[in-house]
Amino acid sequence: MILILGGTGEARELATRVPAISSLAGRVSSPRLPVGEVRIGGFGGVDGLAQWLRDNDIHAVVDATHPFARQITANAFEACEWVGVPFLILRRPGFTPVEGWHWVDSVADAARYLHGSRVFLTTGRQDLAEFANCPQWFLARMVEPPEPPMPQQIEVLLARGPFTVDGELALMRSHGIDVLVTKDSGGEMTSAKLEASRQLEIPVVIVRRPPLPSAETVTTVADALAWLSGVTSR
Ligand code: NAP
């Protein structure tokens, strides 16, 4: 049996191509569910995941989690090493960089070095607290309603991609946005805001991805399938 660590479009696509158990963290109240068997909720750290891999007779793990889901990827790498289960990271490429983007190493740095007065913030609900002491006005888009702490001046927009360039242009114009703060998540679903920012000549502050563990890594579902067929035919 194969375990897919999910929460992304790539994970859902992989689950349509290979029999597997998909795992979701359970952060979203109505998640887009992958086809096939699904389990929801944390494993209880590295120990819990290692035990779960043994109990469920898992032969390979594909970590197709979000590029900023750092903890689960680190845990899965370690647990697979312990148990001796082949481990692959499937990560979509980052956004194609545009000259002039201001790159930062963390969301905290994005908040620290923030210029502008009307911010379009798309880093997600879990990172909102980092901006709690910022004096700017925020349009913050996320999937689930946030909890405090958060910026004092904020309009929350609950929405889930894909987004279009026309839609992003209209949104940014109507809210008088003068800076975009986002993460280098990559993918087509959320890239329209970057094109809209380019057209409107709005500065972009973009958070670099966290480093990956030294595991085998691919960027496409096709390459993950090729790896799986190699592993399962051993
Ligand atoms: P994280 O910080 O890397 O993980 C925190 C803890 O959540 C993990 O230690 C694990 O708990 C549990 N967990 C995370 N992903 C899991 C999964 N797929 N299956 C079972 N348990 C999981 O993760 P995060 O940044 O909070 O993201 C949570 C999930 O949302 C991920 O699956 C990711 O793919 C998805 N997501 C994240 C972002 C983002 O910007 N971070 C954006 C879109 C989607 P235990 O230690 O108890 O096992």
Side-chain angles (χ1 to χ4, degrees), residues 119-182:
V119 185
F120 184 21
L121 182 66
T122 68
T123 50
R125 173 177 60 134
Q126 294 182 90
D127 294 313
L128 212 46
E130 301 286 358
F131 299 89
N133 296 321
C134 291
Q136 288 89 353
W137 179 91
F138 287 83
L139 173 66
R141 186 167 64 196
M142 59 201 71
V143 176
E144 293 280 304
E147 282 168 16
M150 63 178 89
Q152 302 227 321
Q153 304 188 73
I154 186 167
E155 178 179 329
V156 173
L157 178 59
L158 299 181
R160 185 149 49 183
F163 303 105
T164 64
V165 175
D166 284 349
E168 301 290 52
L169 283 168
L171 184 72
M172 290 161 86
R173 279 197 186 108
S174 65
H175 287 81
I177 297 300
D178 60 14
V179 59
L180 168 70
V181 179
T182 193

Side-chain angles (χ1 to χ4, degrees), residues 5-8 23-25 27 39 41-45 64-66 68-73 75 123 126 183:
L5 296 168
T8 60
S23 176
L24 302 178
R27 300 268 189 280
R39 67 162 299 287
F43 295 95
T65 57
H66 189 270
F68 283 82
R70 184 179 193 156
Q71 189 62 54
I72 187 67
T73 298
N75 289 0
T123 50
Q126 294 182 90
K183 292 174 174 169

